[in-house]
């Protein structure tokens, strides 16, 4: 399935957001995720379906001054 992850095209054989994060080595409960501009909470990632063409954003908090 062709998806866009953080602006880059990815071809991945997964159908759930949590599986995509694992396949792309995104780890940590602290990640923020959105699919097609809609926030997907950590508790919902395992059940959240993906469809061809979805746009996924994976963000991590930054610290600094």
């Amino acid at each position: 399935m062709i998806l866009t992850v953080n602006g880059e095209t990815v071809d991945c054989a997964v159908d759930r957001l949590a599986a995509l994060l694992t396949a792309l080595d995104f780890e940590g409960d602290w990640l923020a995720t959105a699919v097609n501009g809609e926030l997907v909470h950590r508790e919902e990632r395992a059940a959240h379906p993906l469809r061809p063409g979805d746009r996924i954003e994976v963000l991590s908090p930054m610290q600094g001054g």
Side-chain angles (χ1 to χ4, degrees):
M1 166 175 358
I2 303 295
L3 305 166
T4 302
V5 179
N6 292 345
E8 296 193 22
T9 302
V10 174
D11 188 0
C12 199
V14 298
D15 64 350
R16 300 283 182 234
L17 181 56
L20 175 68
L21 296 175
T22 299
L24 297 179
D25 293 326
F26 285 108
E27 295 187 24
D29 290 336
W30 42 266
L31 293 173
T33 55
V35 176
N36 299 322
E38 296 292 325
L39 181 66
V40 178
H41 295 280
R42 177 180 54 226
E43 301 83 19
E44 300 169 354
R45 292 178 192 158
H48 191 87
L50 296 176
R51 294 175 180 81
D54 278 351
R55 296 178 335 274
I56 295 95
E57 297 293 328
V58 182
L59 307 169
S60 62
M62 294 182 65
Q63 293 182 326

